[in-house]
């Protein structure tokens, strides 16, 4: 069941989204060669605490997970696509990092992700990240009243496939509101004009994921959470929480 949010509720979700944006900005700024993923997680925790927000990630345990998630950010490095658990790993020159973060504030959730490089960037990584960002921008542009979920999915898939990149099957965005994960599912590839119609008050977490090699294969790491590319190629992930409104898409996690 898809819950349509009131304009007042969307304003409240914007406040939660801004906390997410602040956390991601702080983490991105602090991420440097020699900094550990655990240090980045602690920094995000400090931002959430300072805003009076809590984390929808911490302690989250879906059916596939062997243990509850132990952090407030997902930190995925190089061949990790999403859901990386922060560890003592210290960032190295040239690493490609994806950080996903959520916040709950006033009973509402926000969810967003960024990808960036540390130190000297490989040109191929820059192109990969730029493509993920272009796919997200195209998806947001398609997130308008009168379109359908398939139009968002098609926008993402078209940008990623035309660049020659892979898309991990079965993973994509989702509805969001009182809970981090709500209906509907928002695939990262699909046919335009298909799926649920977009209506004023729908709020979606839209999140393109791209694999550099052009192959779609992935597997779960031994921790049961981290998804890694099968061929060891690098991946990027971007995400925004977006409200569908009569006046156009409203990004609630804008940084």
């Amino acid at each position: 069941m898809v819950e349509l949010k009131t304009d007042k509720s969307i304003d409240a979700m914007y406040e939660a989204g801004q906390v997410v944006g602040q956390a991601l900005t702080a983490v991105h700024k602090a991420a440097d060669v020699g900094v550990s993923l655990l240090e980045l997680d602690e920094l995000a925790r400090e931002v959430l605490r300072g805003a009076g927000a809590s984390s929808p990630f911490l302690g989250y345990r879906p059916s596939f997970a062997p243990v509850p998630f132990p952090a407030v950010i997902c930190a995925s490095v190089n061949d990790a696509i999403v859901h990386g658990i922060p560890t003592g790993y210290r960032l190295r020159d040239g690493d490609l990092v994806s950080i996903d973060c959520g916040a709950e504030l006033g009973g509402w959730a926000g969810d967003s992700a960024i990808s960036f490089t540390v130190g000297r960037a490989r040109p191929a990584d820059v192109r990969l990240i730029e493509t993920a960002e272009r796919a997200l921008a195209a998806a947001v542009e398609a997130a308008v009243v009168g379109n359908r979920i398939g139009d968002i999915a098609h926008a993402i898939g078209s940008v990623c496939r035309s660049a020659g990149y892979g898309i991990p099957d079965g993973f994509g965005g989702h509805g969001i509101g009182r809970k981090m994960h709500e209906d509907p599912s928002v695939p990262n590839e699909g046919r335009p004009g298909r799926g649920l119609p977009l209506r004023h008050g729908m709020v979606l977490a839209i999140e393109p994921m791209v694999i550099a090699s052009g192959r779609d294969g992935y597997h779960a790491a031994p921790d049961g959470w981290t998804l890694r590319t099968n061929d060891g190629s690098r991946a990027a992930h971007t995400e925004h929480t977006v409200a569908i409104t009569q006046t156009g898409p409203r990004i609630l996690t804008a940084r």
Side-chain angles (χ1 to χ4, degrees):
M1 179 178 177
V2 177
E3 177 193 1
L4 299 179
K5 279 71 175 179
T6 66
D7 292 346
K8 183 177 180 180
S9 295
I10 291 173
D11 287 341
M13 291 190 69
Y14 176 82
E15 297 302 320
Q18 291 308 289
V19 176
V20 177
Q22 291 163 17
L24 288 174
T25 298
V27 167
H28 188 186
K29 184 177 180 180
D32 204 352
V33 175
V35 176
S36 77
L37 301 181
L38 283 173
E39 289 170 335
L40 297 181
D41 182 67
E42 180 55 37
L43 177 57
R45 290 175 190 246
E46 291 175 5
V47 173
L48 295 182
R49 283 195 295 265
S54 60
S55 170
F57 289 17
L58 185 62
Y60 180 60
R61 188 179 184 182
S63 60
F64 67 80
V67 296
F69 197 76
V72 304
I73 62 170
C74 296
S76 306
V77 181
N78 297 332
D79 66 323
I81 306 167
V82 288
H83 301 165
I85 295 177
T87 65
Y89 174 84
R90 295 190 177 277
L91 295 172
R92 301 172 183 174
D93 188 45
D95 276 347
L96 193 167
V97 184
S98 297
I99 302 292
D100 194 351
C101 184
E104 290 179 341
L105 184 68
W108 296 99
D111 190 9
S112 185
I114 56 173
S115 289
F116 54 85
T117 56
V118 174
R120 291 168 292 183
R122 301 180 183 185
D125 290 344
V126 173
R127 290 193 298 271
L128 186 69
I129 293 169
E130 288 177 345
T131 299
E133 291 174 344
R134 284 195 295 109
L136 180 56
V140 171
E141 187 175 346
V144 296
V145 173
N147 273 358
R148 292 176 176 266
I149 291 290
D151 294 304
I152 295 175
H154 179 71
I156 295 170
S158 295
V159 171
C160 298
R161 293 299 189 190
S162 65
Y165 296 134
I167 300 171
D169 184 50
F171 282 85
H174 50 88
I176 185 171
R178 291 286 184 185
K179 296 186 295 183
M180 178 172 61
H181 290 131
E182 297 183 351
D183 291 334
S185 174
V186 185
N188 282 336
E189 194 166 27
R191 298 177 63 182
R194 300 296 182 90
L196 192 71
L198 303 181
R199 298 172 58 190
H200 178 87
M202 291 176 64
V203 182
L204 308 173
I206 302 171
E207 46 182 323
M209 305 164 194
V210 288
I211 299 174
S213 66
R215 301 182 180 92
D216 299 347
Y218 62 89
H219 63 275
D223 62 26
W225 274 98
T226 309
L227 298 184
R228 296 190 179 278
T229 61
N230 281 347
D231 56 12
S233 61
R234 295 190 170 198
H237 174 212
T238 57
E239 178 182 17
H240 269 312
T241 297
V242 181
I244 313 297
T245 78
Q246 292 290 357
T247 56
R250 180 183 179 187
I251 299 176
L252 305 182
T253 46
R255 295 177 289 277

